[in-house]
Amino acid sequence: MRMISLTLCVALLGAGALLVGSEPRDAKEIELELPQHAVAVLVPTRGHQARGVIEFTQTPRGVRIAGTIRGLTPGKHGFHIHEFGDLRSADGTAAGDHFNPGGARHGAPGHEQHHYGDFGNIEADDEGIANVILQADWMKLHFVVGRALVVHAEADDLESQPSGDSGPRAGIGVIGIARPREAREAAAGETRQPARRE
């Protein structure tokens, strides 16, 4: 019994040494590429029905934002990136204010002054569906990953400070690093493969 315990201890110590030896000696040795694709899955806040999927793609010109949001009231809705990817409040307020690291005034994306996270408005049709296609030339994707994307219940007037008077937050999602399209398509193809009989 004592011999078995001793052998087991030696084996465990050896395995531990191998694991420690396999770790990088210095975190500086690790090189990660900046994210090129991100996705936000919007869910409704309390009392609302807004939900959808918005994809972000880094381009040479900035960031392309595209997707579809359903469950909105017809008309315009404020659309912004907020400071924190914190969804712990039912009304979305844990996400903080508009993402505004430069301390700019709130405004339309084309204005000289606007928050880094200001996208202006998106517009929902009579069925409450908004198809989103935007180009944020000022944006770098890695600055917004981990923050919240918010669609508001009302239109952004693009003037009122500090946030355009666009009403409560109707839908919210965290902007997360997305699996690259090629990998998603490959995974989907593998899933569709019929099971082979042995």
Side-chain angles (χ1 to χ4, degrees):
M1 186 69 169
R2 191 173 293 174
M3 181 62 79
I4 292 171
S5 298
L6 183 59
T7 304
L8 184 59
C9 285
V10 169
L12 288 172
L13 285 170
L18 284 172
L19 286 172
V20 170
S22 66
E23 292 177 0
R25 280 172 275 172
D26 190 337
K28 292 177 184 173
E29 294 177 18
I30 300 171
E31 291 185 14
L32 295 174
E33 292 183 9
L34 293 175
Q36 301 298 303
H37 306 279
V39 62
V41 179
L42 272 65
V43 296
T45 57
R46 182 175 52 209
H48 298 277
Q49 280 110 38
R51 61 177 65 248
V53 176
I54 302 293
E55 295 186 22
F56 295 73
T57 304
Q58 183 69 59
T59 74
R61 282 183 50 211
V63 176
R64 183 177 186 272
I65 300 106
T68 302
I69 303 174
R70 302 173 184 276
L72 296 167
T73 56
K76 292 183 178 180
H77 296 266
F79 195 53
H80 314 110
I81 292 176
H82 286 243
E83 299 172 283
F84 310 117
D86 190 338
L87 308 187
R88 288 179 288 183
S89 57
D91 60 359
T93 55
D97 297 326
H98 293 183
F99 180 47
N100 183 27
R105 288 173 60 81
H106 172 66
H111 290 178
E112 187 177 337
Q113 285 265 322
H114 67 86
H115 297 158
Y116 200 87
D118 283 346
F119 293 137
N121 289 297
I122 58 172
E123 189 160 2
D125 63 18
D126 291 342
E127 295 181 356
I129 300 170
N131 291 307
V132 178
I133 301 177
L134 302 170
Q135 179 71 31
D137 292 345
W138 66 91
M139 187 169 287
K140 293 187 185 299
L141 184 57
H142 61 276
F143 288 165
V144 299
V145 166
R147 303 186 189 280
L149 181 66
V150 174
V151 60
H152 289 261
E154 299 166 16
D156 184 337
D157 66 15
L158 308 176
E159 294 179 357
S160 298
Q161 303 301 320
S163 57
D165 196 25
S166 48
R169 300 159 195 208
I172 187 169
V174 175
I175 302 167
I177 296 174
R179 192 174 191 181
R181 185 178 300 278
E182 304 77 28
R184 292 201 315 269
E185 288 171 354
E190 289 170 10
T191 303
R192 285 194 294 267
Q193 293 293 329
R196 281 190 276 172
R197 292 183 181 176
E198 297 297 327

